[in-house]
Amino acid sequence: MADHLKTFFDARLVERLGASLHAAAPTFPRAAFIREAAKGLDGHELMDRARHIAGAMHRALPQDYPEAVEVLLRSLGPRTEATEGGAMATFYYLPHTIFVAEHGLEHFEPSMRAQHALTQRFTAEYSIRPYLERHTTRTLARLREWTEDPSEHVRRLVSEGTRTRLPWASRLREFQKDPTPVLALLERLKDDPALYVRRSVANNLNDIGKDHPALLVQVATAWMKDATPEREWLVRHALRSSIKRGEPAALAVVGARPPSGIEARVTQLPRRAALGDTVEVHFEVTNRSKQQQTLVVDLAVHFQKANGEARPKVFKVRELLLGPGQAETVSKRVSFAQLSTRKHYAGPHRFEALVNGQGLPLGVVEVSG
C-alpha cells in the first residue's frame, strides 16, 4: 500500500471519526477517544493504524456490543455510488470493519447488519471472513440471501468475501480444501447484471483454479454452454492464470489448442533501458501451419529480483485467429517505474511471447540503475 494511503489515517481523520460517533451518541467520550486514537499513529503502518483506531473505538463505545454497533450504524455517512476505481475516502470505514471482525463474533445478527451496511460504504470482504470460519453454516446461508440483494455492493461481498486467496487476507483453508459451498454462491451470481460483481466472481474462480485446476475447467466448460457475451468474458477472465500457465484443458475451453507451426519474431525491442523507463515491444506472430488456429498471446517478462534471480510476470496481450500463413503484429508496453507493489532492479530482463502457453523468445533488455 502506498504511503499516502497509510497517512490517510491521521489526527484529522480521528477528529472526524470522533465527531461522527459523538453525533450518533452524545454520551460518547469524544475528547478521550481522540486523544487515545491519535496518540502514536505516526509509528504505525496502514493496517496497524486502522487497528489502533479500532482499539480506541472499542474502549470508547458502550461495552455492550449490540449497543455499540447501533452507535456505529447511526454514525455512518451516505452509501457510496462508486464501484471499481472508487475514491480512497472510503477507507475511512476500515476501523469500523476491524471493530466488527474482532469484537462481534459472539453477536451474529448485529454483526451481519453492520457488515451489510458497511460494505455499501467501503467493503466487508475482510470482516466477513472470521464469521465464515466461526459460523460457517449461518454465514453461508446469509450470503445466499445476499446474492439477491438490491445493492451490487452487497452482492459483490458474497463473491469477494469468499475468495480463498483474497489479497492481503488470511486464506480460507476449509474452502481451499472443498470449494463446493463457494461454487454454489458463484452459480447464483454468474449472470449478475453488474460487471463489478461478475469481475469478482471471475477472480474467485481464478483463486479456486489455483488449488483445483480440473474443477475450474469443469465449471468453466459448463458455464460456456449457451453463454451470453458477458458470461463468456467472465469465464475467460476466470481462466486467465490457467491460460498463462499453458494448461491445455483451460486453453481448450476458449477454443485454443497447443500451437503448431507458430513463430514469433520481434520487430521492436530496445536493447537497453533505465529504471523508470517504459519499454514498448512489438512482435509478429505467424501461423506456418496449414490449419487455422485460435491463439492466446501473452508476454512474459523475467524481472530481476533483489537476490539476482529472475522471475517471470505475465501480461495479457490479445487473442488472435490466424489462418494458414497469416501473420499479425501485436504490441505491449512494460513499465520499469518503481511502484509500492513492485520494486525493479537493474540487470538483464528476458522477454518472451507466450502463445497458448508455449514460450517463444523475443530478446533481452539490459536495464540500468
Side-chain angles (χ1 to χ4, degrees):
M1 296 272 187
D3 285 344
H4 70 276
L5 182 51
K6 175 184 75 174
T7 56
F8 174 73
F9 290 102
D10 59 9
R12 288 177 298 177
L13 182 141
V14 169
E15 290 178 5
R16 179 182 159 206
L17 179 54
S20 70
L21 291 167
H22 185 262
T27 57
F28 180 80
R30 174 180 177 180
F33 164 76
I34 291 173
R35 281 195 304 272
E36 180 182 351
K39 186 177 180 180
L41 273 183
D42 290 345
H44 294 300
E45 295 299 316
L46 169 70
M47 289 304 297
D48 285 338
R49 287 186 184 216
R51 288 193 183 95
H52 175 79
I53 294 170
M57 185 188 300
H58 171 60
R59 287 180 287 277
L61 284 167
Q63 291 306 293
D64 178 72
Y65 178 82
E67 186 181 348
V69 163
E70 287 303 313
V71 175
L72 212 63
L73 291 175
R74 290 199 301 271
S75 76
L76 300 182
R79 298 169 184 172
T80 182
E81 297 299 323
T83 54
E84 294 167 298
M88 191 178 76
T90 61
F91 273 80
Y92 171 83
Y93 293 108
L94 178 56
H96 301 62
T97 60
I98 292 174
F99 174 81
V100 172
E102 293 186 350
H103 302 289
L105 280 170
E106 303 308 319
H107 304 274
F108 184 82
E109 287 299 338
S111 294
M112 290 299 109
R113 258 190 83 220
Q115 295 189 84
H116 185 275
L118 285 165
T119 207
Q120 296 180 70
R121 291 158 175 85
F122 172 48
T123 179
E125 65 201 59
Y126 300 102
S127 56
I128 198 73
R129 297 168 83 80
Y131 294 82
L132 282 164
E133 293 175 331
R134 176 78 67 86
H135 306 288
T136 305
T137 302
R138 293 180 74 186
T139 307
L140 287 171
R142 186 58 49 87
L143 292 178
R144 179 182 172 86
E145 294 175 14
W146 286 351
T147 61
E148 298 179 355
D149 196 273
S151 168
E152 62 192 80
H153 294 278
V154 175
R155 301 195 305 273
R156 178 184 178 271
L157 171 61
V158 176
S159 57
E160 200 70 9
T162 56
R163 285 182 61 182
T164 54
R165 294 169 173 262
L166 182 67
W168 302 306
S170 59
R171 301 279 177 88
L172 292 175
R173 300 291 182 185
E174 291 305 311
F175 293 148
Q176 275 189 281
K177 295 175 186 175
D178 179 13
T180 304
V182 177
L183 287 170
L185 296 172
L186 302 185
E187 181 72 33
R188 298 171 66 86
L189 294 171
K190 68 179 185 295
D191 293 316
D192 193 276
L195 173 61
Y196 184 51
V197 177
R198 296 195 306 274
R199 188 187 302 277
S200 176
V201 172
N203 289 337
N204 194 319
L205 276 180
N206 184 56
D207 285 356
I208 291 172
K210 292 173 182 176
D211 296 302
H212 303 276
L215 180 59
L216 170 60
V217 168
Q218 178 184 330
V219 172
T221 302
W223 286 12
M224 284 292 263
K225 293 177 182 177
D226 302 318
T228 62
E230 291 80 10
R231 195 200 300 171
E232 183 175 337
W233 176 90
L234 185 160
V235 171
R236 288 174 178 271
H237 197 58
L239 291 169
R240 65 191 185 278
S241 294
S242 300
I243 288 173
K244 287 176 181 179
R245 293 191 296 268
E247 295 175 7
L251 287 161
V253 174
V254 299
R257 305 290 178 181
S260 175
I262 298 298
E263 296 178 357
R265 180 179 65 87
V266 69
T267 57
Q268 178 182 322
L269 181 67
R271 292 184 178 181
R272 299 184 179 279
L275 292 176
D277 287 350
T278 296
V279 167
E280 190 164 329
V281 55
H282 297 254
F283 57 97
E284 184 181 75
V285 180
T286 305
N287 179 11
R288 298 295 185 191
S289 75
K290 296 181 180 181
Q291 303 293 326
Q292 179 175 273
Q293 297 188 63
T294 298
L295 305 175
V296 178
V297 182
D298 297 322
L299 174 70
V301 180
H302 295 255
F303 286 98
Q304 287 288 331
K305 299 299 177 183
N307 60 6
E309 296 180 358
R311 191 172 303 166
K313 177 173 175 57
V314 178
F315 300 89
K316 292 216 60 76
V317 180
R318 58 180 293 197
E319 291 188 20
L320 302 175
L321 182 63
L322 294 185
Q326 188 176 357
E328 191 160 341
T329 297
V330 295
S331 62
K332 190 71 177 179
R333 290 181 177 176
V334 177
S335 174
F336 290 97
Q338 302 293 11
L339 305 172
S340 60
T341 53
R342 188 192 315 153
K343 184 171 177 59
H344 295 289
Y345 299 90
H349 288 66
R350 184 162 56 90
F351 282 61
E352 64 177 344
L354 294 180
V355 182
N356 290 6
Q358 177 180 308
L360 301 171
L362 297 174
V364 176
V365 177
E366 186 71 36
V367 177
S368 59

